[in-house]
């Protein structure tokens, strides 16, 4: 207050920038799990895209079920068993070598086109970036290295350390401890279940809605923000723009 009246004076005074901590989901957010489609097309033709989506859906389903049952096996096994399910469901006969090729490809899946530039911009502003995944640290590091993304992150936080999976609230609390108990911790994810899990555990969350066809679960728990691309993240969050102070 400046003493000139009870209403006070609004002063547009820049504050110190607020440095946020970002937990980036990996598969489906930074890395395109449909990167297996070109190889599948060679082997199963026009069914490749649907096969890929079923594979991804079953992979997540198996992680949810194992988490609930407390029968933990790592994400790679969930992925392998989901592939076996799809081969049976689609009546596809893949050889052991072909299956191994598909599973190995998960370690070099492509990143989405907007990822590298967006991570670089966030890091340049001084924010703290972490990869946060159901995958083991080794697998996540490998796919990040394959795409030239590893350098942008301060670390990889894997749910494997707790022997459970997202959206168990324990994994989000674990992330916040590992990342230094930031007061401004954000999850960035393209997966609605992940966004809801993070918000329920006390984090903020940005939902990366890469396609208009994706439906957010109607649980009454909404994303803090929604963006169509990572490049819109800083703009949408209004990070580091001067804020007024009331004196």
């Amino acid at each position: 207050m400046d003493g000139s009246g009870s209403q006070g004076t609004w002063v547009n005074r820049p504050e110190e920038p607020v440095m946020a901590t970002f937990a980036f989901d990996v598969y489906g957010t930074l890395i395109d799990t449909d990167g297996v489609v070109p190889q599948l097309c060679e082997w199963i033709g026009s069914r490749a895209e649907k096969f890929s989506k079923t594979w991804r859906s079953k992979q997540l389903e198996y992680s949810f079920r194992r988490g609930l049952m407390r029968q933990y096996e790592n994400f790679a096994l969930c992925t392998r068993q989901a592939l076996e399910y799809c081969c049976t469901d689609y009546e596809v006969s893949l050889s052991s070598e072909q299956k191994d090729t598909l599973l190995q490809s998960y370690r070099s899946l492509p990143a989405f086109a907007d990822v590298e530039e967006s991570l670089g911009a966030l890091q340049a502003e001084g924010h703290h970036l972490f990869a946060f995944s159901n995958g083991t640290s080794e697998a996540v590091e490998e796919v990040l290295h394959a795409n030239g993304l590893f350098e942008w992150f301060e670390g990889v936080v894997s749910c494997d350390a707790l022997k459970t999976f997202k959206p168990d609230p324990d994994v989000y609390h674990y992330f916040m401890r590992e990342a230094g108990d930031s007061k401004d911790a954000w999850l960035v994810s393209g997966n609605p279940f992940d966004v809801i899990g993070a918000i329920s555990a006390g984090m903020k969350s940005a939902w990366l809605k890469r396609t208009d066809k994706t439906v957010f679960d109607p649980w009454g728990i909404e994303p803090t923000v929604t963006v169509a691309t990572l490049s819109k993240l800083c703009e949408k969050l209004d990070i580091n723009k001067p804020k007024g102070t009331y004196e």
Side-chain angles (χ1 to χ4, degrees):
M1 303 288 285
D2 66 358
S4 59
S6 60
Q7 296 302 310
T9 302
W10 181 261
V11 180
N12 192 17
R13 177 176 297 163
E15 296 176 341
E16 289 296 317
V18 175
M19 298 308 169
T21 296
F22 290 101
F24 282 90
D25 174 60
V26 177
Y27 301 106
T29 301
L30 303 178
I31 301 299
D32 185 3
T33 56
D34 278 336
V36 297
V37 169
Q39 182 63 78
L40 283 169
C41 278
E42 293 183 21
W43 294 335
I44 65 173
S46 61
R47 292 183 293 170
E49 188 170 345
K50 290 184 71 174
F51 186 105
S52 173
K53 293 191 182 307
T54 303
W55 185 12
R56 171 64 171 164
S57 177
K58 275 292 172 181
Q59 175 199 55
L60 291 173
E61 179 190 329
Y62 288 173
S63 72
F64 298 155
R65 287 163 61 180
R66 286 191 174 278
L68 286 168
M69 294 167 63
R70 299 178 186 173
Q71 296 288 328
Y72 181 79
E73 296 287 350
N74 68 30
F75 203 53
L77 183 62
C78 294
T79 304
R80 176 178 289 277
Q81 291 178 334
L83 176 59
E84 295 289 353
Y85 171 92
C86 288
C87 288
T88 301
D89 188 36
Y90 283 81
E91 299 181 342
V92 168
S93 295
L94 296 178
S95 68
S96 296
E97 291 75 15
Q98 287 173 318
K99 291 175 184 176
D100 287 343
T101 296
L102 288 171
L103 292 165
Q104 187 61 32
S105 74
Y106 246 78
R107 293 178 174 264
S108 57
L109 287 169
F112 289 102
D114 59 349
V115 171
E116 184 169 13
E117 183 178 354
S118 301
L119 293 177
L122 285 166
Q123 189 194 65
E125 290 186 357
H127 301 297
H128 306 290
L129 313 184
F130 292 84
F132 178 43
S133 178
N134 277 333
T136 64
S137 294
E138 178 189 5
V140 171
E141 289 174 15
E142 190 168 346
V143 76
L144 293 177
H145 276 298
N147 286 280
L149 302 177
F150 186 75
E151 64 182 290
W152 302 119
F153 295 99
E154 294 183 24
V156 172
V157 179
S158 169
C159 301
D160 182 61
L162 296 186
K163 306 304 180 191
T164 190
F165 296 107
K166 301 175 182 179
D168 186 326
D170 287 350
V171 303
Y172 302 100
H173 297 149
Y174 173 68
F175 171 80
M176 288 187 277
R177 292 194 303 272
E178 289 293 296
D181 290 320
S182 170
K183 291 182 173 60
D184 196 23
W186 286 79
L187 174 83
V188 182
S189 181
N191 300 303
F193 75 86
D194 199 9
V195 171
I196 290 171
I199 292 174
S200 297
M203 296 177 70
K204 299 174 185 175
S205 193
W207 179 35
L208 182 57
K209 186 180 181 181
R210 288 195 177 276
T211 170
D212 289 339
K213 295 180 180 179
T214 307
V215 177
F216 198 85
D217 300 297
W219 283 27
I221 301 173
E222 299 298 325
T224 313
V225 296
T226 299
V227 291
T229 64
L230 282 178
S231 57
K232 295 289 186 182
L233 189 58
C234 282
E235 176 185 332
K236 189 77 172 181
L237 297 180
D238 202 28
I239 289 174
N240 283 351
K241 292 186 179 180
K243 298 177 174 62
T245 58
Y246 195 67
E247 296 188 347

